[in-house]
């Protein structure tokens, strides 16, 4: 099994390390044709504006949508914004691979970024130390989308059964439970 | 909930990897940078090439101008304070800039002390010419290091020198045994705990970017291939003939830094690059890289 990590910009290297800690093979993706031999894809955090521009410019848009119809995508932070149906950012198109809407930078600028313990619904005994960096908030969850963790009144980890989205950065720190959850979703 | 931890600060630096941070002096330039795909903008009143030309004291930018730029873009906005000028840094933190560059481009405020960056919630980036300097800044709380290069020169030679020195210093540490590490810490003038950490990891504990002389897509690629994880472009964009096209091309060159075919396309039809300065044209006492220690 090979997990692709979209490497156009952002925190792709940390996802590589998380997968390595689970002994899972990964490949950095910079060309659409590389998607053909991937079993699933991670769209990392980064700057969603930059990432989306590179997706459009390098012919990833249709390939990613096609990929998402058959295979699983994990989107973290900017990766979640890009995968959502609509974001508060009107400049940007998004992939609409999961039926959620998000507000960008919803907790504020970097001085309001934070780490916090969140409870994982699938592993209640140990909270996850989640890092939120200029993080988005989910403003609407469509039919069939389930929350796996909440912070305050927001769902911060959610899935429609195929794709997994996090508004925080599960790749920061050495707790790989969320990557493990994603591995379990890959068919 | 914990704000301003090192993990949160370094987290933002991690998210800026593989991108280009562009110097801008007004909202119009900030928009051009954002549209070109910049991961962040550095808001400053004069770009380094003009600071060099104009002379005088270069200080923190006017808060009004920083606020205007914050209003018009959604990407992170950085700003510079003078070396050691923690009051300027406090003001920038109150403006909620996303990153502070304690920068040799501005006139230093303290010749002995850099800012104690741990006590701020906002992350800091600092310049370095070698591993010792990088580790002193990290010891003070910097969440990102960048090569100093020679700001406003449009000449990549100093950035290359600094990146090669930094990488070589780290490689050397990984070959030393425990008996030799304290002597090397003394040699480099760096905190011992960080020396020990790098001897094990072979890399900095914070992202390592490049700045100071990048003017072309090929320059960006060179720095990335030498080990930079992102690039800052100061004068190189808005001192060139066609800033918009050049900005986009440097963004592409940073993503596809190891693909010569893509780099060839990015290097075409750019108009003239900034003129630049040969190092011998810059008198030793006017080299910005010598500021700070």
């Amino acid at each position: 099994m090979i997990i692709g990590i979209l490497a156009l910009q952002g925190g792709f290297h940390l996802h590589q390390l998380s997968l390595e800690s689970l002994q899972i093979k990964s490949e950095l993706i910079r060309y659409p044709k590389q998607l053909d031999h991937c079993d699933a894809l991670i769209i990392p955090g980064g700057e969603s504006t930059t990432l989306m521009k590179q997706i459009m410019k390098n012919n990833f848009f249709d390939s990613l949508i096609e990929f998402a119809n058959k295979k699983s995508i994990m989107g973290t932070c900017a990766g979640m914004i890009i995968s959502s149906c609509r974001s508060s950012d009107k400049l940007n198109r998004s992939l609409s691979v999961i039926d959620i809407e998000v507000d960008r930078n919803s907790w504020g600028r970097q001085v309001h970024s934070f780490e916090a313990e969140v409870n994982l619904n699938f592993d209640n005994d140990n909270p996850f130390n989640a890092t939120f960096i200029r993080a988005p908030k989910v403003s609407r969850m469509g039919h069939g989308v389930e929350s796996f963790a909440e912070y305050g009144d927001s769902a911060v980890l959610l899935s429609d059964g195929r794709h997994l989205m996090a508004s925080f950065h599960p790749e920061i720190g050495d707790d790989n439970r969320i990557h493990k959850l994603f591995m379990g979703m890959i068919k | 909930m914990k704000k301003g931890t090192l993990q949160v600060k370094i987290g933002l630096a991690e998210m800026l990897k593989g991108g280009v941070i562009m110097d801008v002096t007004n909202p119009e330039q900030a928009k051009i940078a954002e549209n070109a795909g910049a991961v962040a903008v550095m808001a400053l009143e004069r770009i380094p090439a003009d600071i060099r030309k104009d002379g005088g004291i270069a200080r923190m930018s006017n808060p009004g101008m920083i606020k205007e730029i914050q209003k018009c873009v959604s990407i992170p906005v950085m700003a510079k304070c003078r070396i050691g000028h923690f009051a300027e840094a406090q003001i920038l933190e109150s403006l909620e800039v996303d990153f502070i560059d304690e920068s040799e481009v501005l006139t230093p405020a303290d010749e002995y002390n850099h800012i104690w960056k741990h006590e701020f919630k906002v992350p800091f980036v600092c310049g370095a010419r070698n591993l010792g300097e990088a580790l002193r800044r990290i010891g003070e709380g910097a969440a990102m290091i960048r090569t100093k290069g020679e700001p406003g020169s449009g000449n990549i030679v100093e950035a290359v020198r600094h990146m090669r020195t930094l990488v070589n210093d780290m490689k050397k540490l990984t070959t030393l045994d425990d008996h030799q590490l304290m002597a090397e810490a003394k040699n480099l003038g760096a905190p011992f705990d960080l020396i020990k950490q790098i001897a094990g990891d072979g890399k900095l504990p914070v992202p390592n970017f490049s700045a100071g002389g990048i003017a072309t897509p090929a320059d960006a690629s060179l720095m990335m291939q030498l080990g930079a994880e992102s690039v800052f472009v100061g004068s190189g964009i808005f001192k060139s003939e066609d800033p918009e096209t050049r900005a986009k091309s440097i963004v592409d060159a940073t993503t596809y830094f190891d693909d010569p075919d893509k780099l060839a396309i990015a290097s075409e039809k750019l108009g003239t690059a900034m003129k630049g300065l040969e190092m011998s044209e810059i008198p030793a006492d006017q080299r910005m890289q010598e500021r700070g220690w």
Side-chain angles (χ1 to χ4, degrees), chain A residues 9 30-31 112 115 134, chain B residues 5 15 17 96 256 259:
Chain A
Q9 190 274 317
R30 291 202 172 94
Y31 307 91
H112 303 290
E115 11 177 334
R134 289 168 43 97
Chain B
T5 60
M15 297 313 137
K17 281 185 178 176
E96 301 194 352
Y256 292 99
D259 180 341

Side-chain angles (χ1 to χ4, degrees), chain B residues 153-223:
Chain B
S153 69
N155 187 343
I156 199 67
V157 68
E158 294 300 302
V160 168
R161 186 195 319 281
H162 300 160
M163 187 57 77
R164 283 211 184 269
T165 306
L166 181 63
V167 170
N168 285 347
D169 290 348
M170 289 195 285
K171 265 190 206 147
K172 182 182 171 196
L173 273 187
T174 62
T175 66
L176 301 181
D177 63 41
D178 285 348
H179 298 264
Q180 300 169 294
L181 288 180
M182 187 59 88
E184 192 61 8
K186 178 177 176 242
N187 221 0
L188 294 171
F192 180 73
D193 55 333
L194 290 172
I195 289 282
K196 201 159 165 52
Q197 196 180 333
I198 286 162
D201 298 346
K203 62 181 198 59
L204 293 181
V206 304
N208 180 17
F209 290 11
S210 182
I214 294 160
T216 68
D219 288 346
S221 162
L222 178 65
M223 295 317 299

Side-chain angles (χ1 to χ4, degrees), chain B residues 239-259:
Chain B
K239 275 285 164 197
S240 73
E241 187 185 347
D242 180 357
E244 201 171 342
T245 309
R246 185 162 296 262
K248 282 183 185 159
S249 299
I250 294 180
V251 169
D252 290 345
T254 306
T255 299
Y256 292 99
F257 66 94
D258 57 357
D259 180 341

Side-chain angles (χ1 to χ4, degrees), chain A residues 8-10 30-31 46-47 50 53-54 57-58 104-105 109-110 112 114-115 131 133-134 169 171, chain B residues 1-3 5 7-8 15-18 34-35 37-39 74 76 96 98 252 255-256 259 262:
Chain A
L8 298 174
Q9 190 274 317
R30 291 202 172 94
Y31 307 91
E47 266 316 303
T50 308
K53 279 184 200 305
Q54 293 291 37
K57 204 190 232 170
N58 297 291
R104 278 184 69 192
N105 299 345
R109 298 181 193 281
Q110 173 63 10
H112 303 290
F114 60 96
E115 11 177 334
T131 306
I133 309 281
R134 289 168 43 97
H169 290 280
E171 75 282 12
Chain B
M1 192 221 273
K2 290 177 286 181
K3 290 184 182 179
T5 60
Q7 179 159 309
V8 167
M15 297 313 137
L16 298 174
K17 281 185 178 176
E34 183 174 57
N35 288 334
V39 287
S74 65
E96 301 194 352
D98 295 292
D252 290 345
T255 299
Y256 292 99
D259 180 341
K262 288 253 189 193

